[in-house]
Amino acid sequence: MQKLKSIRLYFFSILKLSFLSFRNYYLSSNFYNKKLITFIPDRIFYSPSSYLSASLTTINKDFYKITNTSPSLLWDTDFKNKQKFENLHGFLWLAKLDRKISKIITKNIIRSWITNFFNYDSHTWQMDIVANRIIAWSSNTDLTLEDSDNAYKTKFFLSLIKQSNFLVKNLKNLFYDSNKIICCAAIILSGMIFKENDLNYKIGIKELEKTIKNYFDKNGFPKTRNPEEVFICIKYLILVREWLKEAQKPIPDFLNEIIVKCGSCYAMLSCSNKQFPLFNGATEINHKDYDIFLKTLKYKFNNENYDIADLIKIKKNKFEFFIDCGNPPANNFTKNYQAGCLAFELISNKQKIICNSGYGKYLSQKLTTLSCSTAAHSTLYLNNTSSCIFQKNKLVNKAYGNSVLQKHKVISKNYTNDKDFYSIAAAHNGYEKKFGYIHTRSIKILKKKDKIFGQDELKKTKSYVNSLNYFVRFHIYPETKIVKTKAGNSILISLSNGEGWLLQCETNDFEIEKNIFLGNKNKIINNESVVISGNSNKEIITIKWLIEKVS
């Protein structure tokens, strides 16, 4: 069945990539680019406040050193440097520029961009980049448009019209994800700034409602189960709401409702270290500045749930613990999925101690694949395999992103909150078919002390003739000092905030291994991981471990 599915995917991948190649040729044609110009506006009727779009980026004031760089040299940035390329051509950094000295320079940069990229280009005209560019140019008209001559204005307006029409014509080709929400936001704005473009406003609102209905679960969490996408979505949803409020347009009920729900998820994921947990395709994001933005606009989100989208959070005093007890998402939402079932992260006094490795999508395809593995997470895995089987064919992955051929299933999940403990127990069958074992992870957290009792159990459900190699990995957050004791079964962990923690195991010894952390979008960071390993074919294999604060 799995082989048949792979063959089918391979066949459809060839068809899809052939279609995309032809489509790219068509989009680059003069015929298509002329069709994108439907009218020539002579003025803007609504200009959003620049501080609203400033909430979309954390880039420093002059990240690209535009005051010292010739505009044409900016475009030498290689598209393979994904993060830098997307930020550069998305122009959201405009909101961070010094208003006093940047007006002429900004216009020269935009004039240069229009000269080089006025027509469709497969890299600079990616849908989310186009959407951010429309938002940035339209939200910073004091820099991009004010005091400009008629020739510049005409080119500027034409470029905005072309790009907004491009989004409208191609929106249906996007899956329901955060990029579609970004594009809907830009289409709505394009219909607000030009009176002649009012149809875009209506299309954008309608498509946004449809996307929300298909992309979020009942709690307002993206169906990808990716915490980073909560952050992306809430930013653009609130942005649209603030535009509508500023322009004195009606705010749809569906928009208010999803902001409340998604905001509740945002509150649940927010941590004392101002970072979201690294699960299911997330990279590190710092929400400190956005919290200030929300407070300025009087948004306050609350969450009383311990479990959203099968991500369980336990918070007490300065202690925060996350664990993923969920199934992989539906096939349409697995593009950035990672096989980290029953992995956890631990934070104490604003500092992360135990983490997952993060997701390497901005670094390289090889690191993206590596970061999808169960070994890249703080959980148990068997025989150097993952709890899900991923598609390895490069052609298929190029066409569809991360494809999961065989998914694990969480077969039990239980959470209790009694007088002395928070208790979590969950099991999945990701290794049952191949190795004949069910993995159960049990966690008990003391309420009065910062102490975690952990147990990983492998229970045999069918015979497996070969010996079984098991590994329990604890990824240590970068720049955290760890030392193995002489006994071999305990690890001392020293945090920069002065705290000391102890990781112990009563059934096995530990090993410390060199590791890499992929949570940072811009670079690979060295870190270490602590590993418990063993070899057995018993009916039941039990690994007991303990993490406690000692100073």
Side-chain angles (χ1 to χ4, degrees):
M1 187 68 183
Q2 187 179 312
K3 189 175 181 181
L4 185 63
K5 185 179 179 181
S6 296
I7 294 171
R8 187 176 64 181
L9 267 175
Y10 184 78
F11 174 72
F12 282 117
S13 298
I14 293 172
L15 290 179
K16 183 175 181 180
L17 291 174
S18 298
F19 169 75
L20 290 175
S21 179
F22 173 77
R23 177 176 172 270
N24 191 51
Y25 177 79
Y26 171 67
L27 295 181
S28 302
S29 67
N30 288 329
F31 172 76
Y32 178 79
N33 279 273
K34 286 178 182 177
K35 283 179 65 178
L36 291 177
I37 301 175
T38 50
F39 68 96
I40 305 174
D42 55 12
R43 58 165 292 194
I44 279 180
F45 287 86
Y46 165 64
S47 183
S49 299
S50 59
Y51 78 89
L52 294 175
S53 67
S55 68
L56 300 178
T57 183
T58 56
I59 293 173
N60 296 330
K61 284 187 178 180
D62 198 2
F63 180 77
Y64 294 99
K65 296 181 171 45
I66 66 164
T67 54
N68 302 318
T69 307
S70 168
S72 59
L73 294 178
L74 284 173
W75 318 131
D76 290 342
T77 301
D78 194 334
F79 71 88
K80 291 179 181 177
N81 189 341
K82 187 175 170 64
Q83 176 74 356
K84 190 173 182 180
F85 184 88
E86 289 181 3
N87 285 338
L88 175 64
H89 288 275
F91 279 86
L92 292 176
W93 45 268
L94 284 174
K96 302 288 187 177
L97 295 181
D98 187 334
R99 270 32 203 173
K100 294 178 182 178
I101 62 172
S102 302
K103 285 190 177 183
I104 296 174
I105 297 168
T106 300
K107 291 183 184 66
N108 286 338
I109 289 171
I110 290 178
R111 187 182 285 110
S112 173
W113 189 93
I114 292 171
T115 300
N116 285 278
F117 305 109
F118 185 67
N119 288 339
Y120 171 82
D121 171 79
S122 61
H123 301 302
T124 57
W125 282 61
Q126 291 176 48
M127 295 282 281
D128 57 325
I129 298 178
V130 171
N132 279 327
R133 191 160 53 239
I134 290 170
I135 292 169
W137 286 10
S138 305
S139 299
N140 295 277
T141 52
D142 59 324
L143 292 178
T144 60
L145 193 60
E146 203 172 89
D147 300 327
S148 57
D149 57 51
N150 288 333
Y152 173 88
K153 276 184 183 178
T154 300
K155 286 183 179 179
F156 181 79
F157 288 154
L158 281 178
S159 186
L160 279 177
I161 292 300
K162 280 189 71 172
Q163 291 178 77
S164 61
N165 285 340
F166 172 78
L167 290 185
V168 172
K169 288 177 180 293
N170 293 280
L171 190 64
K172 64 181 182 297
N173 296 323
L174 286 181
F175 288 116
Y176 292 112
D177 62 7
S178 56
N179 281 344
K180 198 157 192 172
I181 288 177
I182 295 170
C183 291
C184 286
I187 290 169
I188 290 167
L189 181 59
S190 72
M192 294 169 68
I193 60 177
F194 298 122
K195 271 188 178 179
E196 304 93 331
N197 233 13
D198 185 60
L199 181 60
N200 277 17
Y201 168 77
K202 294 174 183 175
I203 291 171
I205 293 290
K206 183 179 178 181
E207 288 298 324
L208 181 61
E209 183 176 18
K210 194 188 300 182
T211 302
I212 287 168
K213 193 177 293 184
N214 287 279
Y215 176 55
F216 293 95
D217 66 15
K218 63 180 182 180
N219 295 312
F221 206 104
K223 291 179 180 178
T224 57
R225 303 185 59 247
N226 182 345
E228 186 176 358
E229 295 196 3
V230 171
F231 185 64
I232 295 169
C233 291
I234 196 68
K235 288 198 296 184
Y236 284 90
L237 293 170
I238 286 177
L239 185 64
V240 171
R241 187 180 187 276
E242 290 302 311
W243 287 338
L244 296 176
K245 192 165 79 171
E246 194 174 59
Q248 298 183 332
K249 284 182 171 285
I251 300 170
D253 289 340
F254 76 82
L255 183 57
N256 286 326
E257 288 169 9
I258 192 59
I259 286 174
V260 170
K261 288 182 177 181
C262 193
S264 178
C265 298
Y266 178 92
M268 186 263 198
L269 293 168
S270 298
C271 297
S272 59
N273 67 342
K274 299 301 180 182
Q275 293 175 351
F276 278 10
L278 298 173
F279 296 105
N280 304 322
T283 55
E284 275 196 328
I285 46 173
N286 189 304
H287 57 82
K288 181 181 178 180
D289 289 343
Y290 195 68
D291 285 348
I292 296 169
F293 174 79
L294 291 175
K295 188 176 181 180
T296 302
L297 293 181
K298 295 182 169 56
Y299 284 91
K300 188 176 181 180
F301 300 122
N302 298 305
N303 175 71
E304 297 178 357
N305 296 322
Y306 67 88
D307 180 351
I308 294 183
D310 293 314
L311 293 173
I312 295 176
K313 180 182 182 181
I314 293 172
K315 186 179 187 322
K316 61 184 185 79
N317 300 322
K318 297 177 181 180
F319 174 104
E320 292 160 292
F321 178 92
F322 283 94
I323 186 168
D324 182 0
C325 298
N327 292 316
N331 291 338
N332 287 345
F333 301 103
T334 60
K335 183 180 178 182
N336 297 312
Y337 180 69
Q338 296 170 283
C341 188
L342 306 188
F344 75 92
E345 293 201 332
L346 173 63
I347 299 162
S348 177
N349 195 15
K350 301 181 181 181
Q351 188 164 343
K352 192 175 283 190
I353 307 170
I354 308 294
C355 64
N356 295 310
S357 287
Y359 190 53
K361 67 178 178 180
Y362 290 106
L363 301 171
S364 74
Q365 183 56 51
K366 185 178 180 180
L367 291 174
T368 302
T369 303
L370 178 67
S371 61
C372 288
S373 67
T374 303
H377 297 78
S378 293
T379 187
L380 175 144
Y381 60 100
L382 301 182
N383 287 1
N384 286 318
T385 61
S386 294
S387 56
C388 291
I389 297 176
F390 292 95
Q391 173 62 253
K392 293 181 180 179
N393 187 283
K394 291 181 181 179
L395 192 72
V396 175
N397 288 332
K398 185 178 179 181
Y400 292 102
N402 218 9
S403 299
V404 183
L405 293 176
Q406 184 176 308
K407 300 178 181 180
H408 71 257
K409 184 178 180 181
V410 173
I411 55 178
S412 66
K413 184 181 75 169
N414 186 48
Y415 169 85
T416 55
N417 181 356
D418 60 28
K419 183 182 176 182
D420 299 314
F421 290 96
Y422 298 101
S423 300
I424 305 162
H428 74 79
N429 66 356
Y431 301 111
E432 186 177 25
K433 186 175 180 180
K434 193 169 184 179
F435 304 118
Y437 280 90
I438 297 289
H439 173 213
T440 302
R441 170 162 276 186
S442 303
I443 302 288
K444 274 192 171 185
I445 299 174
L446 280 175
K447 288 189 172 181
K448 294 181 180 179
K449 293 182 180 179
D450 290 339
K451 197 170 188 177
I452 304 169
F453 296 94
Q455 177 177 296
D456 288 291
E457 180 186 272
L458 292 165
K459 187 174 183 180
K460 187 179 285 188
T461 58
K462 59 183 181 180
S463 62
Y464 178 66
V465 292
N466 299 319
S467 61
L468 188 78
N469 296 310
Y470 62 84
F471 306 85
V472 182
R473 193 172 288 272
F474 303 86
H475 292 270
I476 307 299
Y477 194 71
E479 298 183 8
T480 302
K481 295 178 181 178
I482 59 173
V483 177
K484 185 167 72 168
T485 61
K486 287 183 179 180
N489 67 341
S490 58
I491 302 286
L492 292 170
I493 305 172
S494 301
L495 307 184
S496 60
N497 61 17
E499 290 185 354
W501 286 72
L502 184 67
L503 173 58
Q504 288 182 299
C505 182
E506 65 177 69
T507 55
N508 301 70
D509 286 344
F510 288 113
E511 294 296 332
I512 295 176
E513 295 182 359
K514 298 289 185 184
N515 208 55
I516 55 172
F517 179 75
L518 305 172
N520 188 293
K521 291 181 174 71
N522 300 308
K523 60 182 179 180
I524 300 167
I525 301 174
N526 292 323
N527 71 327
E528 294 177 301
S529 62
V530 177
V531 184
I532 299 169
S533 62
N535 183 289
S536 180
N537 57 7
K538 293 179 181 178
E539 292 293 317
I540 295 178
I541 303 168
T542 303
I543 306 108
K544 293 183 178 181
W545 46 270
L546 167 73
I547 305 174
E548 65 176 323
K549 182 181 173 183
V550 292
S551 66

